[in-house]
């Protein structure tokens, strides 16, 4: 099976976690896009969705799904999103699509985080994927120095030769070459650097379930 076929399979499997009559939190990225396309087919069963990015909101609306403002929602049963890496303990690196901050905010309101990922995302130790950090633009240099002091190199993410700006108007520094032995401690440490908005480590509050696409079918990992 191709990687896209594996992503489609987990996106379809995630539909069984959607609760009828409720609002579902929806992530960002190619796997989340496959999920949105499946959600569109059962849109009459749900009240609507909360989006973790402008791109996701647009895709949800294109399927005729109601998109709610998170400020109007006190809780939701489930948040469904992809990951760049996930460990056997449910800790993740996210933010390959630059939506890490909104993803973490929406996930924090959900009772359950269901990660949907193809098998290549399952790792023993996080850190082969560059760790995204959303940063206030004026703090770029100081945060880059502090990240480098943790090990690895902080690289400014570019798009079309220009600094990529997130939906929140901030930049992304990708920390390359940092082997992450204690994701919970590193998440706290990076989040405490002044000028950092969010680090793309989802470890203190990781996934509750991972639907993993493999050649043998969709495996369910519970954490
Ligand atoms: C976006 C994310 C995505 O979930 C992550 O990058 C995985 O993307 P894909 O499903 O395209 O492999 O965190 O900010």
């Amino acid at each position: 099976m191709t990687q896209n076929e594996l992503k489609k399979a987990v996106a379809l499997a995630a539909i069984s976690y959607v609760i009828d009559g409720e609002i579902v939190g929806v992530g960002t990225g190619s796997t989340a896009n496959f999920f949105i396309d499946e959600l569109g087919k059962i849109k009459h069963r749900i009240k609507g969705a909360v989006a973790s990015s402008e791109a996701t909101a647009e895709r949800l609306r294109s399927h005729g799904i109601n998109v709610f403002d998170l400020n109007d929602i006190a809780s939701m049963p489930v948040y469904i999103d992809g990951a760049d890496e996930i460990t056997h303990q449910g800790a993740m690196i996210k933010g390959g699509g630059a939506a890490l901050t909104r993803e973490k905010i929406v996930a924090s309101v959900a009772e359950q985080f269901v990660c949907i990922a193809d098998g290549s995302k399952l790792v023993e130790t996080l850190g082969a994927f560059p760790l995204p950090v959303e940063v206030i633009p004026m703090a770029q240099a100081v945060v880059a120095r502090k990240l480098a002091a943790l090990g690895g190199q902080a690289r400014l993410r570019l798009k079309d030769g220009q600094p990529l700006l997130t939906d929140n108007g901030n930049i992304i520094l990708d920390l390359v070459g940092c082997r992450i032995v204690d994701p919970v401690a590193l998440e706290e440490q990076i989040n405490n650097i002044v000028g950092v908005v969010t680090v793309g480590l989802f470890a203190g509050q990781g996934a509750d379930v991972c639907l993993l696409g493999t050649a043998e079918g969709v495996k369910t990992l519970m954490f």
Side-chain angles (χ1 to χ4, degrees):
M1 280 172 101
T2 65
Q3 195 177 22
N4 271 347
E5 285 168 340
L6 296 174
K7 289 181 180 188
K8 275 186 196 171
V10 293
L12 177 60
I15 290 294
S16 66
Y17 286 81
V18 175
I19 310 288
D20 285 3
E22 294 282 356
I23 288 171
V24 56
V26 183
T28 297
S30 58
T31 320
N33 281 345
F34 287 128
F35 171 70
I36 295 168
D37 296 345
E38 292 299 330
L39 198 61
K41 297 176 192 167
I42 60 143
K43 65 179 176 199
H44 53 280
R45 281 174 37 196
I46 58 167
K47 194 166 162 193
V50 175
S52 60
S53 64
E54 300 296 340
T56 286
E58 198 177 310
R59 197 175 185 101
L60 286 163
R61 287 195 190 100
S62 77
H63 284 285
I65 297 169
N66 275 338
V67 178
F68 285 81
D69 186 323
L70 185 65
N71 288 307
D72 297 326
I73 309 298
S75 71
M76 65 187 95
V78 67
Y79 175 76
I80 296 174
D81 197 357
D84 299 301
E85 288 184 344
I86 182 163
T87 66
H88 294 268
Q89 290 74 40
M92 295 169 284
I93 287 183
K94 291 185 47 52
L100 57 157
T101 299
R102 294 192 187 193
E103 290 172 341
K104 208 177 261 197
I105 293 168
V106 180
S108 75
V109 176
E111 286 158 31
Q112 194 181 33
F113 189 131
V114 176
C115 174
I116 47 176
D118 65 84
S120 71
K121 307 289 181 69
L122 186 65
V123 296
E124 292 297 328
T125 309
L126 297 173
F129 191 91
L131 178 61
V133 184
E134 181 164 353
V135 175
I136 301 284
M138 74 168 286
Q140 178 187 334
V142 60
V143 172
R145 285 194 296 273
K146 290 189 175 171
L147 290 175
L150 297 173
Q153 282 177 293
R155 293 193 188 145
L156 178 65
R157 196 182 298 184
L158 301 176
K159 189 181 175 193
D160 303 327
Q162 294 298 316
L164 175 143
L165 290 185
T166 67
D167 285 352
N168 312 308
N170 299 313
I171 56 167
I172 298 277
L173 293 176
D174 287 307
L175 186 58
V176 181
C178 179
R179 195 169 165 274
I180 301 167
V181 281
D182 186 344
V184 175
L186 189 66
E187 181 178 10
E188 213 174 286
Q189 199 175 1
I190 295 179
N191 276 338
N192 278 337
I193 298 173
V194 174
V196 166
V197 179
T198 325
V199 60
L201 271 172
F202 288 55
Q205 258 195 295
D208 298 290
V209 177
C210 177
L211 302 175
L212 197 72
T214 75
E216 295 80 45
V218 175
K219 290 188 179 158
T220 304
L221 314 180
M222 313 278 281
F223 309 106

